[in-house]
């Protein structure tokens, strides 16, 4: 599901993100797969994802793992963004 997240329309993305609050396993695995796509997301989509990081610890934990897999390949500005967000949490 996470691998196709960017292809979903707005309402379907919102529906999927809401499901992360109702199932720990879904939240974790979805977060991890979305994290691996972090560098490919639009600024707007990254912003939406980061809003859920503040509200959902399971999602945040696995999103961090997913971003960790691709961190070295991210542009320096995105690496900085990730580190800033980590400091805030």
């Amino acid at each position: 599901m996470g691998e196709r997240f960017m292809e979903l329309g707005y309402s379907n993305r919102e529906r999927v993100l809401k499901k992360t609050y109702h199932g720990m396993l879904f939240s974790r695995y979805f977060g991890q797969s979305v994290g691996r796509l972090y560098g490919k997301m639009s600024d707007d989509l990254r912003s939406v994802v980061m809003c859920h990081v503040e509200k959902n610890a399971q999602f945040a934990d696995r999103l961090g793992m997913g971003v960790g897999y691709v961190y070295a390949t991210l542009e320096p500005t995105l690496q900085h963004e990730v580190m800033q967000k980590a400091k805030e949490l």
Side-chain angles (χ1 to χ4, degrees), residues 49-67:
V49 166
M50 286 308 210
C51 286
H52 290 275
V53 165
E54 297 172 6
K55 302 172 189 172
N56 188 332
Q58 297 297 323
F59 179 72
D61 177 58
R62 290 302 175 108
L63 181 76
M65 288 181 72
V67 171

Side-chain angles (χ1 to χ4, degrees), residues 29-85:
Y29 292 115
F30 179 71
Q32 188 169 349
S33 61
V34 168
R36 291 180 181 188
L37 301 173
Y38 193 79
K40 298 176 183 177
M41 290 182 197
S42 68
D43 291 341
D44 290 338
L45 191 51
R46 275 194 301 273
S47 179
V48 167
V49 166
M50 286 308 210
C51 286
H52 290 275
V53 165
E54 297 172 6
K55 302 172 189 172
N56 188 332
Q58 297 297 323
F59 179 72
D61 177 58
R62 290 302 175 108
L63 181 76
M65 288 181 72
V67 171
Y69 287 123
V70 299
Y71 184 81
T73 66
L74 296 177
E75 296 176 17
T77 55
L78 290 180
Q79 289 178 343
H80 179 72
E81 180 181 299
V82 168
M83 295 309 290
Q84 284 301 113
K85 191 61 166 179

Side-chain angles (χ1 to χ4, degrees), residues 1-17:
M1 179 71 75
E3 293 176 8
R4 300 280 189 221
F5 184 64
M6 293 186 307
E7 299 169 14
L8 298 176
Y10 174 81
S11 61
N12 285 329
R13 282 194 303 245
E14 287 298 310
R15 198 171 312 145
V16 170
L17 285 167

